[in-house]
């Protein structure tokens, strides 16, 4: 992300050496409850995310792509952050020169997010403007975040530095969460049209166990997360992950359920669907991570299964299975269907 001169970084290290290390846990910064965080890309190489987590980092932002290409370490970083049970999300480095390219790059970002679970807002990182005018920058940025929100159903966050927040961005962006880069360590950073920040990047020369070389250090408020635990803003390593999926032409709810290994019932309840036979192209569905409960367990249909033999096997009735699983035709189930089976 934002890079600064060597002289400024050296001054920062002399005056504020505390800024180069990760705080040990969530705490307060500029009067806000915050979580320590980092943002990473292929530049950081191979990362030991377990060591990152153990150092006190609680939120990781991963570069998804740049200029139409996925980051070379996208898959590795995604799997590493997820396996380490960190809170994590993705950002996209925008290089668009007009609104058409901005919408195309937003579509590329949405495609890279598809099929991935995450719990922090997607981010537009648009910081290299070339010879674009202020008006062009704002139109391009707005086209990107507007298209990204349309495709994902999530309000994106905007990354920028304090100078551009004050001099470039117009009021069209005031409703989007702000991730601000300011390496001065000031208590009153310039936020421009934004009333406050939700992410604060305070150095790009941080040192974190598990990462060789420098890395950006940040603070993030609970508003960056797409959901919270019972006590809002409290870090919880076992919190559920989120996955959003955009319905395509020809798809059915049962087909989508099989694709992600969840029951139709889970999709119906998670998305408040009144008629499971009726979903729309372009509709954004939340895909839950389904777990067994004290009322039912999950069963994946195998070759040769039907509701009659399953009802006998598990001591229930065909009508109960059909009702609980939104099956319109009890004679027709498919291999790979995930069924909720009531416990005795």
């Amino acid at each position: 992300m934002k890079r600064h001169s060597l002289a400024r970084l050296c001054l920062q290290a002399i005056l504020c050496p505390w800024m180069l290390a990760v705080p040990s846990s969530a705490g307060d910064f500029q009067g806000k409850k915050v979580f320590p965080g980092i943002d990473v890309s292929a530049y950081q190489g191979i990362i030991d995310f377990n060591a990152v987590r153990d150092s006190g980092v609680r939120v990781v932002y991963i570069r998804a792509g740049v200029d139409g290409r996925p980051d070379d370490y996208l898959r590795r970083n995604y799997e590493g952050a997820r396996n380490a049970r960190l809170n994590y999300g993705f950002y996209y480095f925008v290089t668009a020169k007009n609104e058409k390219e901005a919408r195309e790059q937003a579509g590329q970002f949405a495609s890279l997010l598809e099929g991935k679970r995450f719990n922090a807002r997607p981010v537009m990182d648009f910081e290299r403007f070339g010879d674009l005018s202020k008006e062009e920058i704002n139109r391009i940025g707005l086209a990107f975040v507007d298209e990204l929100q349309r495709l994902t159903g999530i309000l994106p966050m905007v990354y920028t530095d304090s100078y551009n927040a004050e001099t470039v961005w117009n009021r069209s962006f005031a409703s989007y969460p702000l991730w601000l880069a300011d390496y001065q360590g000031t208590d009153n950073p310039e936020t421009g049209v934004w009333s406050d920040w939700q992410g604060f990047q305070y150095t790009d020369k941080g040192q974190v166990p598990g990462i060789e070389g420098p890395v950006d250090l940040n603070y993030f408020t609970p508003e960056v997360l797409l959901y919270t635990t019972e006590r809002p803003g409290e870090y919880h390593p076992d919190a559920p992950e989120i996955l959003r999926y955009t319905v395509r032409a020809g798809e059915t709810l049962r087909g989508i359920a099989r694709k992600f290994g969840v029951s139709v019932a889970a999709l119906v309840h998670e998305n408040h669907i009144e008629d499971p036979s009726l979903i729309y192209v372009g509709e954004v569905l939340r895909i839950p991570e389904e777990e067994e409960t004290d009322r039912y367990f999950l069963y994946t249909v195998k070759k040769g299964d039907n509701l009659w033999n399953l009802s006998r096997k598990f001591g229930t009735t065909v009508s109960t299975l059909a009702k609980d699983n939104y099956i319109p035709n009890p004679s027709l189930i498919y291999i790979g269907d995930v069924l909720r089976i009531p416990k005795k």
Side-chain angles (χ1 to χ4, degrees):
M1 287 192 169
K2 199 70 183 176
R3 301 298 174 217
H4 292 260
S5 70
L6 179 60
R8 181 173 175 180
L9 292 169
C10 290
L11 179 63
Q12 179 190 90
I14 294 170
L15 297 180
C16 304
W18 60 270
M19 296 180 106
L20 304 184
V22 179
S24 60
S25 63
D28 295 319
F29 178 71
Q30 294 184 5
K32 301 177 181 64
K33 180 179 177 62
V34 293
F35 305 119
I38 60 174
D39 54 271
V40 300
S41 68
Y43 291 115
Q44 276 68 49
I46 297 175
I47 297 173
D48 180 347
F49 281 96
N50 289 325
V52 168
R53 178 201 60 217
D54 293 343
S55 76
V57 168
R58 290 295 175 262
V59 181
V60 176
Y61 263 100
I62 299 164
R63 188 173 74 171
V66 55
D67 198 21
R69 307 183 311 275
D71 185 276
D72 289 342
Y73 279 61
L74 171 59
R75 174 59 60 177
R76 179 187 290 271
N77 286 338
Y78 163 60
E79 292 176 349
R82 185 181 184 195
N83 290 338
R85 302 299 293 174
L86 286 156
N87 297 295
Y88 60 91
F90 302 90
Y91 72 92
Y92 190 95
F93 192 93
V94 177
T95 59
K97 300 302 180 185
N98 54 56
E99 293 173 70
K100 179 177 180 294
E101 290 181 359
R103 293 189 180 277
E104 289 174 349
Q105 290 189 7
Q108 293 158 1
F109 188 15
S111 295
L112 292 171
L113 295 180
E114 202 159 87
K116 295 180 176 63
R117 297 183 181 273
F118 56 95
N119 72 327
R121 296 184 184 280
V123 176
M124 176 185 75
D125 177 7
F126 186 21
E127 59 183 87
R128 294 183 184 173
F129 306 137
D131 57 0
L132 294 170
S133 69
K134 180 177 176 179
E135 291 71 25
E136 289 172 325
I137 294 167
N138 280 274
R139 286 200 300 269
I140 291 168
L142 194 60
F144 184 93
V145 293
D146 179 71
E147 181 71 359
L148 183 60
Q149 184 173 2
R150 186 186 72 81
L151 293 172
T152 64
I154 306 171
L155 183 70
M157 186 159 59
V158 174
Y159 171 87
T160 192
D161 64 82
S162 55
Y163 176 80
N164 286 325
E166 184 70 14
T167 62
V168 174
W169 300 107
N170 65 33
R171 295 206 63 80
S172 300
F173 293 87
S175 61
Y176 292 91
L178 170 65
W179 181 358
L180 186 71
D182 189 318
Y183 297 176
Q184 298 298 321
T186 176
D187 287 336
N188 296 293
E190 297 290 350
T191 58
V193 300
W194 288 273
S195 61
D196 210 343
W197 55 263
Q198 286 69 48
F200 191 90
Q201 184 183 97
Y202 56 89
T203 181
D204 63 356
K205 292 296 180 182
Q207 301 296 318
V208 176
I211 299 177
E212 292 187 11
V215 64
D216 299 336
L217 299 184
N218 306 268
Y219 289 115
F220 293 106
T221 69
E223 288 80 8
V224 166
L225 302 181
L226 295 170
Y227 53 79
T228 57
T229 57
E230 292 181 2
R231 284 178 284 185
E234 181 181 3
Y235 169 67
H236 196 299
D238 295 320
E241 296 171 310
I242 190 170
L243 173 62
R244 294 176 186 251
Y245 181 77
T246 304
V247 177
R248 297 182 174 89
E251 289 189 311
T252 65
L253 203 61
R254 292 184 74 177
I256 294 171
R258 285 197 299 276
K259 180 175 183 178
F260 290 102
V262 298
S263 67
V264 171
L267 294 182
V268 168
H269 296 153
E270 183 71 23
N271 295 280
H272 308 289
I273 296 172
E274 294 183 2
D275 184 353
S277 66
L278 191 61
I279 57 174
Y280 302 92
V281 174
E283 185 176 358
V284 178
L285 301 179
R286 291 170 57 97
I287 312 295
E289 277 199 316
E290 190 172 16
E291 297 180 351
E292 297 182 356
T293 72
D294 56 357
R295 294 179 51 247
Y296 62 82
F297 63 90
L298 302 176
Y299 178 82
T300 302
V301 174
K302 302 177 177 62
K303 185 177 180 180
D305 283 338
N306 58 57
L307 288 192
W308 280 265
N309 61 33
L310 291 177
S311 66
R312 290 195 299 271
K313 179 177 181 179
F314 296 117
T316 184
T317 66
V318 171
S319 60
T320 296
L321 291 179
K323 179 181 178 181
D324 288 352
N325 292 283
Y326 298 93
I327 299 173
N329 183 355
S331 300
L332 192 60
I333 60 174
Y334 301 92
I335 295 173
D337 278 349
V338 176
L339 302 182
R340 288 182 171 181
I341 310 292
K343 293 182 177 179
K344 297 180 181 179

